[in-house]
């Protein structure tokens, strides 16, 4: 196999890696106070040297192949009113695929995501139901950085808080479906369940466990080492996150995740760090 064919097989159209993991660093689905700006810069490292084939059989990449990626993003959400928030996600990625045949690299901005969240209802201001509509806009023309297709997503979330073993706890259940429009259009279903505990009485230490998955469908069945680049694949992931609040409005989150099952995708491991800073403008 030539280096060109290896590139086409493993790293064609890398896209949206950070958007798979950015929201795991903090609890999504809870209301943002009107006039509050929530800023969440994050960095994610992804590694894979094995893959599941179309029949979910696991094996090493050809020619000692290895895929690594650093992705950086800024997620911002603004509370417009008690019912509506506006969010923006801007990602940048640096991908590297190397094997005995050579090395291929790509980097650049990816898809800009602009979303409107509407809070449908709440139960005693402890449990919240929300619906989010997101527009997906490519920030590039180089197709090695993404599908280069506009798209849209609808996400339903249920979030709440309570107590477990005398400690404050929270949970978030999410399911989002998105469609990329154009040639070889892609349908995706992204789902996630997170449960977390506050470890101390001052609400400074937090530990959470997430179980999530990703399903993508398209007429293009080709394998790709980058889980956000392939157009027909599936995987499930388990993640553990630790959060520390330095103050009421400033927090740090560290997350590690591992793909546990999959089809037509890489066996990925990722670690990320995210800051969350809140600014009240009213």
């Amino acid at each position: 196999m030539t280096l060109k064919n290896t590139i086409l097989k493993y790293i064609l159209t890398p896209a949206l890696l950070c958007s798979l993991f950015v929201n795991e660093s903090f609890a999504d689905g809870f209301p943002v106070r009107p006039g509050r700006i929530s800023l969440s810069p994050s960095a994610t490292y992804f590694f894979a040297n094995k893959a599941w084939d179309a029949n979910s059989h696991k094996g090493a990449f050809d020619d000692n192949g290895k895929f690594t990626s650093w992705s950086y993003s800024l997620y911002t959400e603004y509370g417009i009113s008690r019912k509506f928030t506006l969010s923006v996600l801007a990602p940048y990625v640096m991908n590297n695929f190397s094997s005995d045949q050579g090395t291929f690299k790509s980097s650049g901005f990816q898809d800009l995501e602009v979303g409107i969240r509407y809070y449908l209802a709440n139960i005693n201001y402890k449990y919240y139901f929300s619906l989010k509509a997101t527009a997906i806009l490519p920030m590039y023309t180089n197709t090695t950085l993404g599908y280069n297709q506009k798209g849209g997503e609808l996400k339903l979330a249920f979030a709440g808080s309570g107590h477990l073993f005398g400690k404050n706890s929270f949970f978030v259940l999410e399911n989002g479906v998105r469609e990329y429009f154009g040639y070889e259009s892609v349908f995706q279903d992204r789902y996630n369940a997170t449960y977390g505990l506050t470890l101390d009485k001052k609400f400074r230490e937090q530990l959470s466990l997430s179980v999530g998955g990703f399903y993508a469908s398209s007429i293009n069945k080709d394998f790709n080492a980058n889980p956000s680049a392939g157009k027909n694949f599936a995987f499930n992931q388990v993640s553990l996150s630790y959060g520390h609040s330095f103050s009421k409005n400033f927090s740090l989150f560290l997350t590690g995740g591992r793909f546990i099952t999959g089809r037509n995708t890489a066996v990925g491991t990722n670690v990320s760090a995210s800051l969350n800073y809140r600014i009240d403008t009213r």
Side-chain angles (χ1 to χ4, degrees):
M1 183 184 295
T2 65
L3 176 59
K4 178 180 179 181
N5 289 335
T6 301
I7 293 171
L8 292 174
K9 181 177 181 182
Y10 288 123
I11 198 168
L12 184 63
T13 64
L16 301 176
L17 180 63
C18 63
S19 69
L20 298 177
F21 310 118
V22 64
N23 286 331
E24 294 177 3
S25 298
F26 52 92
D28 203 2
F30 287 94
V32 176
R33 179 184 302 175
R36 171 170 287 177
I37 301 173
S38 180
L39 299 173
S40 297
S42 67
T44 299
Y45 175 74
F46 180 89
F47 170 82
N49 60 5
K50 295 182 180 180
W52 288 287
D53 64 17
N55 297 311
S56 297
H57 297 145
K58 185 165 63 175
F61 288 165
D62 293 341
D63 303 313
N64 297 311
K66 179 176 67 175
F67 175 78
T68 59
S69 176
W70 277 101
S71 52
Y72 306 92
S73 70
L74 176 62
Y75 179 81
T76 304
E77 191 164 10
Y78 174 71
I80 301 173
S81 68
R82 296 185 66 178
K83 286 289 188 179
F84 289 95
T85 67
L86 173 68
S87 67
V88 177
L89 173 65
Y92 184 90
V93 71
M94 297 186 299
N95 294 318
N96 182 86
F97 180 80
S98 60
S99 73
D100 294 339
Q101 300 186 46
T103 300
F104 176 77
K105 297 181 179 181
S106 65
S107 62
F109 287 100
Q110 299 181 294
D111 290 343
L112 181 71
E113 298 188 11
V114 181
I116 292 287
R117 188 192 308 276
Y118 174 67
Y119 289 94
L120 300 167
N122 74 81
I123 303 174
N124 297 326
Y125 296 99
K126 291 180 63 177
Y127 305 99
Y128 299 90
F129 299 87
S130 64
L131 180 66
K132 184 176 182 181
T134 300
I136 302 166
L137 306 169
M139 295 191 292
Y140 51 88
T141 56
N142 183 354
T143 55
T144 64
L145 292 174
Y147 297 150
N148 196 23
Q149 295 176 339
K150 295 179 180 179
E153 180 184 69
L154 285 177
K155 179 191 289 185
L156 183 64
F158 175 43
S161 59
H163 293 83
L164 181 68
F165 304 125
K167 297 185 180 297
N168 291 285
S169 63
F170 70 90
F171 69 87
V172 181
L173 304 175
E174 299 175 291
N175 191 81
V177 292
R178 67 171 57 189
E179 181 84 20
Y180 290 89
F181 309 108
Y183 177 67
E184 293 182 349
S185 61
V186 183
F187 170 82
Q188 296 178 348
D189 183 11
R190 306 178 180 205
Y191 44 92
N192 186 72
T194 297
Y195 188 83
L197 290 173
T198 300
L199 303 179
D200 66 318
K201 295 181 179 180
K202 294 184 178 181
F203 301 96
R204 292 182 178 177
E205 313 295 332
Q206 171 188 299
L207 193 65
S208 63
L209 177 67
S210 296
V211 179
F214 197 110
Y215 171 84
S217 177
S218 172
I219 60 173
N220 185 337
K221 311 296 183 182
D222 292 342
F223 169 81
N224 196 300
N226 187 337
S228 56
K231 294 186 174 183
N232 194 289
F233 67 95
F235 68 81
N236 290 293
Q237 177 181 235
V238 173
S239 301
L240 185 65
S241 179
Y242 166 76
H244 175 77
S245 295
F246 296 97
S247 68
K248 182 179 178 181
N249 294 321
F250 183 55
S251 303
L252 168 68
F253 296 89
L254 303 174
T255 303
R258 174 73 173 179
F259 293 7
I260 55 174
T261 63
R263 173 185 57 80
N264 208 34
T265 191
V267 182
T269 299
N270 62 280
V271 293
S272 66
S274 175
L275 297 175
N276 184 246
Y277 183 60
R278 296 180 296 185
I279 304 171
D280 290 320
T281 62
R282 299 181 192 174

